[in-house]
Structure formats: C-alpha cells, structure tokens
C-alpha cells in the first residue's frame, strides 16, 4: 500500500464510508478506489482535490 493510498483509506474510514460510498462521492468506481488504496493505480489532481 502506498502512503497516498493509505491516507485515502484512513480518510474514508474516518468518515465511516465503505469503498462504494466513498468512490461514488469521488465520481470513480469502487474498483478504481480499491486499486488506489492498494497503491496499484495513480489518481488525478481532481480526485486529490475532492478528497482534501
């Protein structure tokens, strides 16, 4: 898991959201969020800005 992916996962869990809920709020698929959290996929600055 990458540092960024870990931080995203922590933010999601702090907000008591499952991957599907968090992904929907970001406008991405649950599968894509899973890949981001595991560090297997990069995310755009748009996604970054929505998270922060």
């Amino acid at each position: 898991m990458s540092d960024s992916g870990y931080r995203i996962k922590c933010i999601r869990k702090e907000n008591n959201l499952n991957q599907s809920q968090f992904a929907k709020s970001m406008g991405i698929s649950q599968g894509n969020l899973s890949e981001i959290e595991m560090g297997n996929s990069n995310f755009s600055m748009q996604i970054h800005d929505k998270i922060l």
Side-chain angles (χ1 to χ4, degrees):
M1 183 179 300
S2 70
D3 287 339
S4 297
Y6 178 76
R7 289 177 30 203
I8 290 169
K9 185 174 184 175
C10 288
I11 290 168
R12 175 177 62 79
K13 289 187 173 240
E14 286 171 4
N15 287 285
N16 298 313
L17 297 171
N18 62 36
Q19 283 187 338
S20 295
Q21 294 166 324
F22 195 62
K24 186 175 182 179
S25 72
M26 295 293 111
I28 61 174
S29 71
Q30 180 274 326
N32 189 236
L33 177 59
S34 177
E35 291 294 316
I36 291 169
E37 287 184 357
M38 291 188 297
N40 296 332
S41 178
N42 294 320
F43 55 95
S44 69
M45 287 306 293
Q46 278 184 313
I47 301 297
H48 177 269
D49 292 344
K50 286 182 182 181
I51 293 169
L52 301 177

